[in-house]
Amino acid sequence: AIFKDRAYPVVIQFVPLTFNPNSENQIHEFKQENKWEEGTISSAQWIKPPNKRTDQQRAAHLLVTFKNPINANEGICNGITLNKNRLQAKKNKREPIRCAKCQHYGHIARECTSHRDICANCSEDHRTSKCSNRNRRCCISCKKEGHASWEQNCPEFERRCADLDKR
């Protein structure tokens, strides 16, 4: 059996794009500024790939993975300093995987064993892109009218998110 170290991912919001998470020097200065020991951070990367940015964009969200829950929690509670600026940090919230074919959670369309497509808007037997009843909202996951399967206010989606956050 292989044991993996526990990881504590934190999203640092609105980090100036002048910061380079691939630069060992900048990561070292970042750790020093926050009084973190060497080895505290296992990785740092931009959430959105740089090639997807707009020309006017000056800041982005950075995903920093800590090896230590104390440092992660301190950053979330007190903020994180970068170049003498205090930045907000939050726990990286994971979302459940939902199949685009059958709309059920726990797998993706490529792995789906369903023989039919279910519309994410109205829960009827057709592809979402072919839906002719776009004003009807019915969720296949919780079997309720009023919201679509893709909406984040679905009680089943919220329950599954909460389950993932407990881990």
Side-chain angles (χ1 to χ4, degrees), residues 4 6 15 22 25 34 39 53 60 64 69 71 74 78 106 110 126 130 132 136 153-154:
K4 240 173 94 173
R6 184 101 191 256
V15 175
N22 299 320
N25 288 340
N34 287 281
R53 296 182 185 143
V64 175
N71 296 118
E74 284 176 354
N78 304 325
R110 183 178 64 226
H126 55 262
K130 303 281 188 219
S132 60
R136 180 175 179 238
N153 63 343
C154 171

Side-chain angles (χ1 to χ4, degrees), residues 13-35:
Q13 300 174 305
F14 306 108
V15 175
L17 294 180
T18 54
F19 180 74
N20 180 359
N22 299 320
S23 165
E24 287 185 29
N25 288 340
Q26 288 190 26
I27 291 290
H28 180 73
E29 290 170 13
F30 180 49
K31 290 176 191 173
Q32 281 187 323
E33 192 171 12
N34 287 281
K35 298 178 177 66

Side-chain angles (χ1 to χ4, degrees), residues 9-161:
V10 173
V11 175
I12 305 173
Q13 300 174 305
F14 306 108
V15 175
L17 294 180
T18 54
F19 180 74
N20 180 359
N22 299 320
S23 165
E24 287 185 29
N25 288 340
Q26 288 190 26
I27 291 290
H28 180 73
E29 290 170 13
F30 180 49
K31 290 176 191 173
Q32 281 187 323
E33 192 171 12
N34 287 281
K35 298 178 177 66
W36 296 327
E37 294 177 14
E38 203 56 44
T40 301
I41 295 174
S42 60
S43 68
Q45 64 188 41
W46 296 113
I47 291 180
K48 185 197 294 186
N51 63 335
K52 303 268 186 190
R53 296 182 185 143
T54 65
D55 292 336
Q56 299 81 24
Q57 190 169 342
R58 299 290 172 253
H61 293 356
L62 185 71
L63 180 65
V64 175
T65 304
F66 290 91
K67 292 182 178 178
N68 179 328
I70 294 168
N71 296 118
N73 288 332
E74 284 176 354
I76 292 167
C77 293
N78 304 325
I80 291 175
T81 304
L82 179 66
N83 298 329
K84 299 179 182 151
N85 293 314
R86 182 65 93 199
L87 302 173
Q88 293 293 319
K90 63 181 184 175
K91 181 179 177 182
N92 184 37
K93 302 256 183 184
R94 295 178 17 200
E95 291 186 359
I97 296 169
R98 183 178 54 83
C99 177
K101 181 177 181 181
C102 72
Q103 309 309 321
H104 288 287
Y105 290 103
H107 66 277
I108 58 175
R110 183 178 64 226
E111 301 162 352
C112 188
T113 58
S114 177
H115 297 292
R116 59 193 181 111
D117 288 299
I118 301 293
C119 179
N121 293 320
C122 69
S123 296
E124 292 178 7
D125 290 0
H126 55 262
R127 288 182 172 236
T128 304
S129 61
K130 303 281 188 219
C131 187
S132 60
N133 197 3
R134 293 199 181 266
N135 293 330
R136 180 175 179 238
R137 296 282 190 251
C138 183
C139 178
I140 193 75
S141 300
C142 68
K143 316 274 189 277
K144 291 184 180 168
E145 297 275 342
H147 66 272
S149 297
W150 49 263
E151 291 187 56
Q152 293 186 342
N153 63 343
C154 171
E156 180 64 15
F157 176 82
E158 290 172 347
R159 184 189 69 74
R160 287 176 180 264
C161 285

